[in-house]
mmCIF file of all heavy atoms in Angstrom:
data_model
loop_
_atom_site.group_PDB
_atom_site.id
_atom_site.type_symbol
_atom_site.label_atom_id
_atom_site.label_comp_id
_atom_site.label_asym_id
_atom_site.label_seq_id
_atom_site.Cartn_x
_atom_site.Cartn_y
_atom_site.Cartn_z
ATOM 1 N N ILE A 205 4.644 3.935 0.129
ATOM 2 C CA ILE A 205 4.486 5.093 0.744
ATOM 3 C C ILE A 205 4.520 6.214 -0.353
ATOM 4 O O ILE A 205 5.661 6.525 -0.818
ATOM 5 C CB ILE A 205 5.624 5.386 1.801
ATOM 6 C CG1 ILE A 205 5.663 4.174 2.778
ATOM 7 C CG2 ILE A 205 5.352 6.664 2.590
ATOM 8 C CD1 ILE A 205 6.766 4.304 3.863
ATOM 9 N N MET A 206 3.413 6.654 -0.717
ATOM 10 C CA MET A 206 3.278 7.552 -1.875
ATOM 11 C C MET A 206 3.618 8.987 -1.394
ATOM 12 O O MET A 206 2.672 9.654 -0.915
ATOM 13 C CB MET A 206 1.875 7.478 -2.449
ATOM 14 C CG MET A 206 1.366 6.065 -2.650
ATOM 15 S SD MET A 206 -0.285 5.998 -3.477
ATOM 16 C CE MET A 206 -1.345 6.624 -2.162
ATOM 17 N N ASP A 207 4.884 9.356 -1.513
ATOM 18 C CA ASP A 207 5.220 10.667 -0.986
ATOM 19 C C ASP A 207 5.731 11.609 -2.043
ATOM 20 O O ASP A 207 6.102 11.256 -3.116
ATOM 21 C CB ASP A 207 6.288 10.427 0.066
ATOM 22 C CG ASP A 207 6.476 11.616 0.997
ATOM 23 O OD1 ASP A 207 5.540 12.482 1.109
ATOM 24 O OD2 ASP A 207 7.453 11.691 1.717
ATOM 25 N N GLY A 208 5.600 12.952 -1.734
ATOM 26 C CA GLY A 208 6.208 13.930 -2.623
ATOM 27 C C GLY A 208 5.288 14.688 -3.440
ATOM 28 O O GLY A 208 5.543 15.471 -4.297
ATOM 29 N N ASN A 209 3.909 14.497 -3.242
ATOM 30 C CA ASN A 209 2.851 15.175 -3.933
ATOM 31 C C ASN A 209 3.008 16.727 -3.844
ATOM 32 O O ASN A 209 2.970 17.462 -4.880
ATOM 33 C CB ASN A 209 1.452 14.853 -3.528
ATOM 34 C CG ASN A 209 1.132 13.408 -3.800
ATOM 35 O OD1 ASN A 209 1.928 12.721 -4.511
ATOM 36 N ND2 ASN A 209 0.087 12.939 -3.316
ATOM 37 N N GLY A 210 3.162 17.173 -2.616
ATOM 38 C CA GLY A 210 3.291 18.614 -2.373
ATOM 39 C C GLY A 210 4.542 19.212 -3.020
ATOM 40 O O GLY A 210 4.422 20.281 -3.695
ATOM 41 N N ARG A 211 5.672 18.497 -2.873
ATOM 42 C CA ARG A 211 6.955 19.017 -3.508
ATOM 43 C C ARG A 211 6.779 19.082 -5.094
ATOM 44 O O ARG A 211 7.270 19.919 -5.696
ATOM 45 C CB ARG A 211 8.145 18.151 -3.032
ATOM 46 C CG ARG A 211 8.667 18.576 -1.705
ATOM 47 C CD ARG A 211 9.510 17.586 -1.130
ATOM 48 N NE ARG A 211 8.806 16.517 -0.528
ATOM 49 C CZ ARG A 211 9.354 15.335 -0.101
ATOM 50 N NH1 ARG A 211 10.670 15.159 -0.197
ATOM 51 N NH2 ARG A 211 8.550 14.396 0.482
ATOM 52 N N ARG A 220 -0.290 22.719 -3.642
ATOM 53 C CA ARG A 220 0.018 21.388 -3.171
ATOM 54 C C ARG A 220 -1.066 20.381 -3.646
ATOM 55 O O ARG A 220 -0.754 19.254 -4.065
ATOM 56 C CB ARG A 220 0.110 21.322 -1.641
ATOM 57 C CG ARG A 220 1.322 21.974 -1.116
ATOM 58 C CD ARG A 220 1.304 21.898 0.366
ATOM 59 N NE ARG A 220 1.177 20.550 0.856
ATOM 60 C CZ ARG A 220 2.168 19.669 1.052
ATOM 61 N NH1 ARG A 220 3.380 20.017 0.807
ATOM 62 N NH2 ARG A 220 1.878 18.437 1.426
ATOM 63 N N HIS A 224 -1.565 16.270 -5.313
ATOM 64 C CA HIS A 224 -2.391 15.107 -4.858
ATOM 65 C C HIS A 224 -3.241 14.597 -6.026
ATOM 66 O O HIS A 224 -3.395 13.472 -6.274
ATOM 67 C CB HIS A 224 -3.234 15.494 -3.680
ATOM 68 C CG HIS A 224 -2.490 15.949 -2.373
ATOM 69 N ND1 HIS A 224 -1.411 15.110 -1.882
ATOM 70 C CD2 HIS A 224 -2.565 17.029 -1.509
ATOM 71 C CE1 HIS A 224 -1.028 15.684 -0.846
ATOM 72 N NE2 HIS A 224 -1.628 16.891 -0.619
ATOM 73 N N ASN A 255 -1.370 12.676 9.498
ATOM 74 C CA ASN A 255 -1.735 13.735 8.427
ATOM 75 C C ASN A 255 -2.765 14.724 8.788
ATOM 76 O O ASN A 255 -2.903 15.768 8.159
ATOM 77 C CB ASN A 255 -1.972 13.071 7.065
ATOM 78 C CG ASN A 255 -0.764 12.441 6.362
ATOM 79 O OD1 ASN A 255 -0.847 11.495 5.728
ATOM 80 N ND2 ASN A 255 0.382 13.097 6.454
ATOM 81 N N ARG A 258 -2.164 18.574 9.120
ATOM 82 C CA ARG A 258 -2.089 19.506 7.963
ATOM 83 C C ARG A 258 -3.182 20.542 8.055
ATOM 84 O O ARG A 258 -4.169 20.355 8.691
ATOM 85 C CB ARG A 258 -2.164 18.722 6.686
ATOM 86 C CG ARG A 258 -1.030 17.698 6.581
ATOM 87 C CD ARG A 258 -0.827 17.164 5.244
ATOM 88 N NE ARG A 258 0.342 16.327 5.272
ATOM 89 C CZ ARG A 258 0.979 15.877 4.187
ATOM 90 N NH1 ARG A 258 0.598 16.264 3.023
ATOM 91 N NH2 ARG A 258 2.066 15.104 4.282
ATOM 92 N N ARG A 375 9.174 3.668 -1.204
ATOM 93 C CA ARG A 375 8.872 5.041 -0.785
ATOM 94 C C ARG A 375 9.447 5.963 -1.820
ATOM 95 O O ARG A 375 10.577 5.922 -2.248
ATOM 96 C CB ARG A 375 9.484 5.432 0.587
ATOM 97 C CG ARG A 375 8.999 6.804 1.036
ATOM 98 C CD ARG A 375 9.208 7.099 2.433
ATOM 99 N NE ARG A 375 8.635 8.410 2.771
ATOM 100 C CZ ARG A 375 8.149 8.799 3.880
ATOM 101 N NH1 ARG A 375 8.153 8.014 4.859
ATOM 102 N NH2 ARG A 375 7.609 10.040 4.089
ATOM 103 N N THR A 376 8.600 6.953 -2.268
ATOM 104 C CA THR A 376 8.990 7.864 -3.287
ATOM 105 C C THR A 376 9.497 9.123 -2.672
ATOM 106 O O THR A 376 9.380 9.333 -1.421
ATOM 107 C CB THR A 376 7.875 8.221 -4.250
ATOM 108 O OG1 THR A 376 6.679 8.649 -3.515
ATOM 109 C CG2 THR A 376 7.430 6.997 -5.056
ATOM 110 N N ALA A 377 10.054 10.034 -3.398
ATOM 111 C CA ALA A 377 10.541 11.362 -3.011
ATOM 112 C C ALA A 377 11.709 11.416 -2.039
ATOM 113 O O ALA A 377 11.842 12.266 -1.156
ATOM 114 C CB ALA A 377 9.363 12.186 -2.401
ATOM 115 N N GLU A 379 12.737 10.011 0.640
ATOM 116 C CA GLU A 379 12.716 10.090 2.106
ATOM 117 C C GLU A 379 13.030 8.754 2.691
ATOM 118 O O GLU A 379 12.433 7.774 2.326
ATOM 119 C CB GLU A 379 11.345 10.530 2.659
ATOM 120 C CG GLU A 379 10.840 11.907 2.215
ATOM 121 C CD GLU A 379 11.617 13.081 2.762
ATOM 122 O OE1 GLU A 379 12.628 12.787 3.535
ATOM 123 O OE2 GLU A 379 11.294 14.146 2.455
ATOM 124 N N ARG A 381 12.489 7.098 5.531
ATOM 125 C CA ARG A 381 11.858 6.777 6.797
ATOM 126 C C ARG A 381 10.511 6.094 6.554
ATOM 127 O O ARG A 381 10.042 6.016 5.375
ATOM 128 C CB ARG A 381 11.648 8.016 7.639
ATOM 129 C CG ARG A 381 10.832 9.145 7.001
ATOM 130 C CD ARG A 381 10.550 10.348 7.931
ATOM 131 N NE ARG A 381 10.024 11.527 7.148
ATOM 132 C CZ ARG A 381 10.708 12.463 6.634
ATOM 133 N NH1 ARG A 381 12.015 12.507 6.862
ATOM 134 N NH2 ARG A 381 10.074 13.370 5.941
ATOM 135 N N SER A 383 7.598 6.471 8.582
ATOM 136 C CA SER A 383 6.450 7.306 8.957
ATOM 137 C C SER A 383 5.286 6.457 9.430
ATOM 138 O O SER A 383 4.177 6.668 8.963
ATOM 139 C CB SER A 383 6.076 8.184 7.725
ATOM 140 O OG SER A 383 7.096 8.959 7.293
HETATM 141 MG MG1 MG B 522 5.259 14.020 2.569
#
Side-chain angles (χ1 to χ4, degrees):
I205 305 175
M206 309 183 290
D207 199 14
N209 292 351
R211 277 166 281 171
R220 289 177 54 83
H224 297 312
N255 285 146
R258 299 196 177 195
R375 182 163 187 152
T376 55
E379 300 291 0
R381 56 178 171 263
S383 302

